[in-house]
Amino acid sequence: MDKPPIGFVGLGIMGLPMAGHILDAGYPLTVYNRTRSKAEELGARGGKVADSPADVAAASTVIITIVSDSPDVEEVVAGPQGVMERISEDSVVIDMSTISPEVERQLDEQLRAKGCTLVDAPVSGGDVGARNATLAIMAGGDRAAFDRVQPILEVMGKTITYCGPVGNGQLTKLSNQILVAVTLLGVSEAVTFAKKNGLDAQVMIEAVKGGAAGSWQLSNLGPKIVDRDFAPGFMVDLIQKDLRLVLEAGAAGQVALPGTSMVNQLFRMAEAQGDGREGTQILAKAVEQLAGLGS
Amino acid sequence: MDKPPIGFVGLGIMGLPMAGHILDAGYPLTVYNRTRSKAEELGARGGKVADSPADVAAASTVIITIVSDSPDVEEVVAGPQGVMERISEDSVVIDMSTISPEVERQLDEQLRAKGCTLVDAPVSGGDVGARNATLAIMAGGDRAAFDRVQPILEVMGKTITYCGPVGNGQLTKLSNQILVAVTLLGVSEAVTFAKKNGLDAQVMIEAVKGGAAGSWQLSNLGPKIVDRDFAPGFMVDLIQKDLRLVLEAGAAGQVALPGTSMVNQLFRMAEAQGDGREGTQILAKAVEQLAGLGS
């Protein structure tokens, strides 16, 4: 099968390496980024550099977007000079940003009026996963559209899951973020409890991580909490954006999420102290402050 | 080195198979259990059956106890006909129950007055771990006493960790229970969020469990929640006992544990509905009820 011409909008810390994999896999690629220098890195490797998302769409039948938040996706897809201005019939837009499921559904409806469709396909795995093409990709949308773009997703990720109709990729990603946030609360409370009671918290982690208490958060962020290493793998500001989306979807769907809501509030303590660009493991500092352990 | 005569008090769902491993490893064993028939099972395999914890102590230099709660340990160690009545100098008591760290320290002090010492060594891994000798054992106490009994602990468990002075085994086990409880809250909220938003929750779990959202609780209890399988691996009544110990130790040590406390309250909903003997995964039912998902 011929490789379709692909467009890529958004060359940030995630998008740039992801677009690079597509180029390396031999797809014709047209890219756009607000900061043009990032686009020119790919231009030097054989990609075409476009002047707008609309120009990207004109050159492509599959258009990938990965930007920050719901309004950014709305702007690059449906705004002035956006993808929809020049998209050709039967094209697929794959939005890989983490945004509102409801916004994805609305954009899909607008795209359908032009004979196109949207697949929402947010990712987890961070910048390391983007560079190594080991991302988990959670996709929602029309099944036939998913099947058509699956080989392209496989170039960027390792675990590709079809989750149902459009919006379900985002809902799966938001479920992922609930798990990340509340599990990290448990790690923060356990490490704080251990330290305040005079345990060597690192010994505690080693003693329990192989059993029913074990988690990715404990094995990977627990030792950083113990070492006071708050360098970001994933930043507070970004998980807060995701938790806002979770709690908005929870409000819309009438789901009470008391643990998630509590973590959102504790992260707000971190933000209030200027720690929004630290790693999520700084949640432990808020828990320690509740326990009077100082900063 | 000669195998010391071992005493074993408490032959419940955990103690019976643990004592059996000690017998199989060739140690002389004397056992006591309130319900004598359990002791006679081991009597038929070569163990001696004693009439009281005091008689167990008279025949042993290492005495293992594993009973339900702090008052039970106090009774079998320091009560009438208890271990301390007939213990000989230089013996070690290993308490493998999950109880108050403070009670372990008090019992250790009483034992020291008789030239003996206490190692607190609670376990995790459940009845399956007890049967297969794959328990994680978290030990606190005098280092020399720990070194002396370590070969005996290795007969019953796979991961044996020395956690520091007496009481630290319990504090490590309580840290483990904080992690178990709060991680399970995250799993319960994520599955409820997924279901109420129309996702196939099993697909969601498969999509995310390999990444930063992953945990033992998600992989093992998540699918049971989806299947409405509330059969106990670990019962609500038992984790509530442990969370009470956690919150008591938190109060004594001035550690605020908002997530753990919330889970304790949600389990209380389950207890109030007569679900105390169901598995801990029934926490999800309480979360669903908050979300109006019915029973």
Side-chain angles (χ1 to χ4, degrees):
Chain A
M1 213 172 85
D2 270 356
K3 288 190 157 69
I6 297 183
F8 208 106
V9 176
L11 302 170
I13 194 170
M14 300 294 290
L16 185 59
M18 289 162 72
H21 295 311
I22 288 175
L23 207 51
D24 293 342
Y27 288 91
L29 184 73
T30 305
V31 300
Y32 171 79
N33 193 56
R34 210 163 37 185
T35 306
R36 194 180 171 97
S37 57
K38 295 283 178 190
E40 281 164 356
E41 282 185 41
L42 291 169
R45 289 165 59 189
K48 280 181 283 182
V49 179
D51 291 324
S52 69
D55 288 349
V56 166
S60 318
T61 58
V62 173
I63 302 107
I64 297 169
T65 55
I66 181 161
V67 293
S68 295
D69 206 345
S70 306
D72 308 297
V73 177
E74 285 174 316
E75 189 188 333
V76 300
V77 175
Q81 295 294 305
V83 165
M84 289 213 290
E85 285 196 356
R86 299 189 63 195
I87 198 168
S88 49
E89 198 177 335
D90 205 33
S91 296
V92 178
V93 174
I94 312 174
D95 180 35
M96 305 187 78
S97 322
T98 296
I99 68 158
S100 153
E102 186 49 35
V103 168
E104 301 285 25
R105 288 185 207 109
Q106 290 166 7
L107 290 172
D108 179 55
E109 208 173 298
Q110 293 176 57
L111 282 163
R112 281 174 186 270
K114 292 185 177 284
C116 300
T117 185
L118 184 131
V119 171
D120 64 309
V123 304
S124 83
D127 54 327
V128 175
R131 282 199 302 275
N132 300 338
T134 55
L135 294 168
I137 303 178
M138 298 152 263
D142 182 71
R143 178 81 216 199
F146 171 78
D147 290 343
R148 187 172 142 200
V149 301
Q150 189 173 9
I152 302 167
L153 298 177
E154 281 167 354
V155 165
M156 295 178 283
K158 197 174 65 173
T159 314
I160 322 294
T161 309
Y162 177 71
C163 305
V166 66
N168 280 16
Q170 297 297 346
L171 289 166
T172 303
K173 173 71 187 282
L174 297 181
S175 302
N176 185 85
Q177 300 305 71
I178 292 172
L179 289 160
V180 163
V182 183
T183 303
L184 180 58
L185 177 62
V187 174
S188 297
E189 291 195 8
V191 170
T192 303
F193 178 87
K195 283 168 62 177
K196 245 209 131 171
N197 280 292
L199 295 181
D200 180 330
Q202 191 57 55
V203 171
M204 179 278 285
I205 292 169
E206 289 301 317
V208 308
K209 74 181 188 186
S215 64
W216 187 100
Q217 296 288 316
L218 179 65
S219 294
N220 291 277
L221 298 187
K224 291 190 182 188
I225 292 170
V226 177
D227 293 344
R228 320 303 291 165
D229 171 6
F230 297 128
F234 188 54
M235 279 195 298
V236 170
D237 284 345
L238 293 178
I239 201 168
Q240 283 291 72
K241 184 207 85 179
D242 294 354
L243 294 182
R244 172 177 58 72
L245 295 168
V246 168
L247 294 171
E248 282 171 8
Q254 294 190 304
V255 194
L257 300 165
T260 307
S261 174
M262 179 183 287
V263 179
N264 176 241
Q265 295 294 321
L266 291 170
F267 276 130
R268 199 157 291 164
M269 280 176 65
E271 292 176 306
Q273 294 173 36
D275 289 334
R277 298 183 67 80
E278 300 282 4
T280 53
Q281 68 271 24
I282 207 160
L283 182 68
K285 202 171 106 175
V287 171
E288 288 173 4
Q289 287 168 337
L290 292 180
L293 261 190
S295 71
Chain B
M1 214 171 83
D2 271 356
K3 286 190 159 70
I6 297 183
F8 208 106
V9 176
L11 302 169
I13 194 169
M14 301 294 290
L16 186 58
M18 290 162 72
H21 294 311
I22 289 175
L23 208 51
D24 292 344
Y27 288 91
L29 183 73
T30 305
V31 300
Y32 171 79
N33 193 57
R34 211 162 36 185
T35 306
R36 194 179 171 98
S37 58
K38 294 283 179 190
E40 281 165 354
E41 282 186 41
L42 291 168
R45 290 165 60 188
K48 280 181 283 183
V49 179
D51 291 323
S52 68
D55 288 351
V56 166
S60 317
T61 58
V62 174
I63 302 108
I64 297 170
T65 55
I66 180 160
V67 292
S68 294
D69 206 345
S70 306
D72 308 296
V73 177
E74 286 176 315
E75 190 189 333
V76 301
V77 175
Q81 296 291 308
V83 164
M84 288 213 290
E85 285 196 356
R86 299 190 64 195
I87 198 168
S88 49
E89 199 177 333
D90 205 32
S91 295
V92 178
V93 174
I94 312 175
D95 180 35
M96 304 188 75
S97 321
T98 296
I99 68 158
S100 153
E102 185 51 33
V103 168
E104 301 286 25
R105 288 186 207 109
Q106 289 165 8
L107 289 172
D108 180 56
E109 208 173 297
Q110 292 177 57
L111 283 162
R112 282 176 184 268
K114 292 185 177 284
C116 300
T117 184
L118 185 132
V119 171
D120 65 309
V123 304
S124 83
D127 55 326
V128 175
R131 283 199 302 277
N132 300 337
T134 55
L135 294 168
I137 303 178
M138 299 151 261
D142 181 72
R143 178 82 216 199
F146 170 79
D147 290 343
R148 189 172 141 200
V149 303
Q150 187 173 10
I152 302 167
L153 298 176
E154 281 168 353
V155 166
M156 297 177 283
K158 198 174 64 174
T159 314
I160 322 293
T161 309
Y162 177 70
C163 304
V166 66
N168 280 16
Q170 298 297 346
L171 288 165
T172 303
K173 172 70 187 283
L174 297 182
S175 303
N176 185 84
Q177 300 306 70
I178 293 171
L179 289 159
V180 164
V182 183
T183 304
L184 180 58
L185 176 63
V187 174
S188 298
E189 292 195 7
V191 170
T192 302
F193 177 88
K195 283 167 64 177
K196 248 211 127 169
N197 280 293
L199 294 183
D200 180 330
Q202 191 57 55
V203 171
M204 179 277 285
I205 292 170
E206 290 302 317
V208 308
K209 74 180 188 185
S215 65
W216 188 99
Q217 296 289 315
L218 179 65
S219 295
N220 290 276
L221 298 187
K224 291 189 181 188
I225 292 170
V226 177
D227 292 343
R228 319 303 292 165
D229 171 6
F230 297 128
F234 188 55
M235 280 196 296
V236 170
D237 284 346
L238 293 177
I239 201 167
Q240 282 292 70
K241 185 208 84 178
D242 294 353
L243 294 183
R244 172 177 57 73
L245 295 168
V246 167
L247 295 171
E248 282 172 8
Q254 296 191 302
V255 194
L257 300 165
T260 307
S261 175
M262 178 183 287
V263 179
N264 176 241
Q265 296 295 321
L266 291 170
F267 276 130
R268 199 157 289 163
M269 283 176 64
E271 292 177 305
Q273 294 173 37
D275 289 335
R277 299 183 67 81
E278 300 282 7
T280 53
Q281 67 272 25
I282 206 159
L283 182 67
K285 202 171 105 176
V287 171
E288 288 173 4
Q289 287 169 336
L290 292 180
L293 260 191
S295 72

